[in-house]
Amino acid sequence: MSATLREESLLTLDVEELAPAQLLRSAEISTTENELKTLLERGYSGVHEKSSPFHSFLEHSMLFIFPFLLTATVYVSLARLYHLEVLWSVLLAIPLGILAGDFVTGLVHWFADTYFTENTPIIGRSLVKPFRLHHIYPRDICTHNLVEIAGNSCILAVPVLSICLYLMWLLPESGWLAFKVTWLSVLAITTVATNQFHKWAHQEGPSRLVRWLQRLRLVLNASHHQKHHMAPFNLHYCITNGWLNPLLNRIKFFRRMEKFLRLFGMKPASARDNQGH
Ligand SMILES: [Zn+2]
Ligand SMILES: [Zn+2]
């Protein structure tokens, strides 16, 4: 990645704080200068940041619980739809759930790229910083394991699925609720899988299966996503499969959202704002 591109995508991060030599010292790694240079050129920082012990516990436990809860929720909702003889509605819930997943991940990504800083309480470290560091070191995501990739999404998905199961128990005869829960389950799966799809889009030499899925646009296509990492750095925010990116670009959805939020005094914290985008 070029220096200019890095500066553009640096947004509000402190350059001093991210100087490679300092990163090296803080991580106490013994990579030589040449190796580090090669790593940086390939988009890696050479540093592996770790979650706090409590956050790590949440990531591990929610990732463990998620598949069981998801299976229970999908089973109950499908059984309900079958019992009410509207199982066909699953064919509608699946694409709508995938589209919603693409939209939600795009919205969260745009928000983290555009507003606040890495020093903002609560969301600064956990949400804003990872997205902005990703612009500087786009391949760091390829060094993350399953827990780091999917743990955070599971922390959000587990309470949502728990509420779904509770509502299904409260309203056993509602077909509309069963449809919405099926849709939400698909949304939960796509959201949890999104970081893996994003990781694949940055991977050097992905497997044939992954390349096939990318070609079919069932998961985020690498060259499609690359447009987000190029000037003017304000397009293609959706990172599940990017289905919605052409539409959202065409209707200038995120620029309109930024205009709308200005009415409430919210100004983009990024360098993009100063360039008049
Ligand atoms: Zn971004
Ligand atoms: Zn990316």
Side-chain angles (χ1 to χ4, degrees), residues 6 8 28 31 69 115 125 141 145 168 181 202 206 221 240 242 248 275:
R6 281 205 196 128
E8 292 276 7
E28 293 180 353
T31 318
L69 200 56
Y115 294 100
R125 271 195 76 81
I141 192 172
N145 61 31
M168 298 275 286
V181 169
H202 285 284
N221 179 279
T240 300
L248 298 182
Q275 293 161 10

Side-chain angles (χ1 to χ4, degrees), residues 109 134 138 198 202 225 228-229 239:
H109 181 182
H134 175 65
H198 189 193
H202 285 284
H225 177 58
H228 177 71
H229 289 272
I239 48 175

Side-chain angles (χ1 to χ4, degrees), residues 82-127:
Y82 178 76
H83 173 71
L84 296 169
E85 297 180 356
V86 283
L87 192 58
W88 57 265
S89 62
V90 174
L91 296 175
L92 198 60
I94 292 173
L96 287 179
I98 296 172
L99 278 173
D102 203 34
F103 180 69
V104 168
T105 57
L107 204 61
V108 171
H109 181 182
W110 158 77
F111 192 80
D113 273 11
T114 311
Y115 294 100
F116 302 112
T117 72
E118 68 279 10
N119 298 319
T120 304
I122 305 171
I123 62 164
R125 271 195 76 81
S126 59
L127 186 72

Side-chain angles (χ1 to χ4, degrees), residues 50-80:
K50 285 203 159 54
S51 304
S52 67
F54 177 66
H55 190 193
S56 178
F57 167 74
L58 276 181
E59 287 176 320
H60 279 83
S61 51
M62 294 300 125
L63 182 65
F64 178 76
I65 293 170
F66 177 73
F68 296 106
L69 200 56
L70 179 72
T71 308
T73 312
V74 169
Y75 176 77
V76 172
S77 64
L78 290 186
R80 188 75 42 83

Side-chain angles (χ1 to χ4, degrees), residues 52-252:
S52 67
F54 177 66
H55 190 193
S56 178
F57 167 74
L58 276 181
E59 287 176 320
H60 279 83
S61 51
M62 294 300 125
L63 182 65
F64 178 76
I65 293 170
F66 177 73
F68 296 106
L69 200 56
L70 179 72
T71 308
T73 312
V74 169
Y75 176 77
V76 172
S77 64
L78 290 186
R80 188 75 42 83
L81 290 174
Y82 178 76
H83 173 71
L84 296 169
E85 297 180 356
V86 283
L87 192 58
W88 57 265
S89 62
V90 174
L91 296 175
L92 198 60
I94 292 173
L96 287 179
I98 296 172
L99 278 173
D102 203 34
F103 180 69
V104 168
T105 57
L107 204 61
V108 171
H109 181 182
W110 158 77
F111 192 80
D113 273 11
T114 311
Y115 294 100
F116 302 112
T117 72
E118 68 279 10
N119 298 319
T120 304
I122 305 171
I123 62 164
R125 271 195 76 81
S126 59
L127 186 72
V128 177
K129 192 176 178 183
F131 272 111
R132 298 197 191 174
L133 271 179
H134 175 65
H135 298 154
I136 309 163
Y137 306 114
R139 286 220 167 97
D140 269 4
I141 192 172
C142 304
T143 66
H144 295 170
N145 61 31
L146 182 65
V147 176
E148 293 161 322
I149 285 287
N152 267 336
S153 307
C154 289
I155 292 173
L156 296 174
V158 163
V160 171
L161 291 180
S162 305
I163 292 169
C164 285
L165 270 181
Y166 176 64
L167 289 174
M168 298 275 286
W169 176 71
L170 273 185
L171 302 163
E173 290 306 318
S174 172
W176 181 229
L177 176 67
F179 173 78
K180 283 191 284 188
V181 169
T182 309
W183 169 76
L184 256 173
S185 303
V186 179
L187 170 60
I189 297 166
T190 49
T191 310
V192 168
T194 288
N195 266 345
Q196 184 62 48
F197 299 163
H198 189 193
K199 174 179 172 175
W200 284 339
H202 285 284
Q203 220 162 28
E204 297 175 281
S207 69
R208 281 177 69 173
L209 174 65
V210 167
R211 276 182 284 143
W212 180 69
L213 291 171
Q214 289 181 340
R215 265 201 307 278
L216 292 178
R217 306 273 170 152
L218 290 174
V219 302
L220 186 63
N221 179 279
S223 53
H224 173 91
H225 177 58
Q226 200 49 38
K227 288 180 186 144
H228 177 71
H229 289 272
M230 293 160 72
F233 307 102
N234 61 4
L235 297 168
H236 287 215
Y237 286 102
C238 299
I239 48 175
T240 300
N241 46 29
W243 288 355
L244 284 174
N245 282 327
L247 174 68
L248 298 182
N249 288 342
R250 196 168 308 133
I251 64 172
K252 296 186 168 57

